[in-house]
Amino acid sequence: MGKKGTKKCILRNITSLITRSSWQNNMTNDQLIEALYQINAVKFGEFTLKSGNKSNIYLDLRQIVSYPDVLRAVANAIWKKICSCHFELICGVPYTALPIATCISIMHNIPMIMRRKEKKGYGTKQQIEGKFHTGQHCLIIEDVITTGGSILETAAELEESGLVIKDVALLIDREHGGKENLERKNYRVFSVFTLREIMEYLLKTEMLSQEERAIVNNLLSGNHT
């Protein structure tokens, strides 16, 4: 069976794979990387990132909404990074991080607020939705960070609404300067993985095609993709 056929077979069986007891609530980081690859959240090809940079690797975390156990595992992995931080609210960067933030909110009974990406021209015209008051500490949740622009936009609007932002938690750091950009603004950044860590693990497995291995080796040799 060719690589495409193998991937399709994996995807057809992903539901049964991710509902194994060891993957439901106690998925290891290695298992999470495998799951992200299997559900096609890690893509190889030619892509243009939001930052405008070209890349041979695209992290499509929108896929996780269709796989509840993977979504739960992502939320758990992020929670482990920030559970000791002080915050009273959480806010996901629109839109991909909203399901992750919602999952954390429900699992740990933490109030959530939402930032509208587009200006609202009707009703209350509020940019920040939900119950909050001035001076509350809010944790920002993101899926992937590249330059950090979307996080900075979200932080600015939350702070304009009177909230205090100290910490940002996310799943994957592409290591394109985003973390440093946030730290220069005095935000603490907590990431579960770097892109390099994910690629290093996948390279150890038998999951990658020859073409994908070439892309990964290019990244690990020092050429950011």
Side-chain angles (χ1 to χ4, degrees):
M1 183 182 293
K3 176 66 180 178
K4 290 184 178 178
T6 301
K7 193 82 174 275
K8 287 179 180 178
C9 182
I10 290 173
L11 290 173
R12 281 198 301 269
N13 293 300
I14 188 64
T15 300
S16 62
L17 283 172
I18 63 177
T19 52
R20 292 175 182 172
S21 59
S22 63
W23 279 36
Q24 286 183 353
N25 296 309
N26 300 303
M27 192 184 295
T28 66
N29 281 359
D30 289 349
Q31 289 173 321
L32 178 53
I33 292 173
E34 291 179 12
L36 292 172
Y37 176 82
Q38 290 172 341
I39 67 172
N40 210 27
V42 180
K43 303 179 188 291
F44 296 88
E46 296 182 2
F47 308 98
T48 301
L49 305 179
K50 182 180 178 181
S51 63
N53 295 331
K54 302 294 183 181
S55 177
N56 294 121
I57 300 170
Y58 183 62
L59 303 167
D60 185 8
L61 273 295
R62 294 174 182 84
Q63 300 295 322
I64 66 176
V65 298
S66 297
Y67 304 93
D69 285 323
V70 178
L71 173 57
R72 186 183 298 112
V74 168
N76 280 335
I78 291 176
W79 175 255
K80 290 175 184 177
K81 288 289 183 178
I82 48 81
C83 59
S84 62
C85 296
H86 170 65
F87 53 91
E88 300 150 285
L89 303 166
I90 59 175
C91 180
V93 175
Y95 289 104
T96 308
L98 293 180
I100 302 172
T102 301
C103 194
I104 293 174
S105 173
I106 292 171
M107 290 193 301
H108 301 285
N109 197 33
I110 300 170
M112 175 178 162
I113 56 175
M114 293 193 299
R115 172 209 165 211
R116 285 181 171 272
K117 197 170 185 179
E118 299 84 12
K119 297 292 183 182
K120 185 179 177 183
Y122 57 91
T124 63
K125 298 184 180 181
Q126 289 188 175
Q127 194 68 15
I128 308 299
E129 302 284 4
K131 182 72 172 179
F132 63 93
H133 58 78
T134 300
Q136 282 187 297
H137 286 71
C138 182
L139 170 73
I140 293 179
I141 302 290
E142 179 63 300
D143 60 333
V144 178
I145 185 172
T146 304
T147 64
S150 295
I151 296 173
L152 289 171
E153 290 174 7
T154 298
E157 292 196 3
L158 293 174
E159 288 171 338
E160 286 175 8
S161 297
L163 294 167
V164 178
I165 309 299
K166 296 292 185 183
D167 301 316
V168 177
L170 54 113
L171 184 65
I172 304 170
D173 178 4
R174 290 192 67 108
E175 297 180 288
H176 280 198
K179 179 179 179 181
E180 292 74 15
N181 288 340
L182 293 178
E183 289 176 339
R184 279 194 286 271
K185 297 287 187 177
N186 296 317
Y187 300 123
R188 295 192 301 175
V189 182
F190 301 86
S191 61
V192 178
F193 304 112
T194 63
L195 179 59
R196 172 174 289 271
E197 288 169 343
I198 291 175
M199 294 302 112
E200 285 176 340
Y201 177 77
L202 287 176
L203 199 61
K204 296 176 184 177
T205 72
E206 300 298 323
M207 304 174 73
L208 300 179
S209 68
Q210 185 175 352
E211 293 79 9
E212 290 169 344
R213 285 183 172 276
I215 291 172
V216 172
N217 280 320
N218 187 50
L219 170 69
L220 296 181
S221 67
N223 299 315
H224 273 297
T225 59

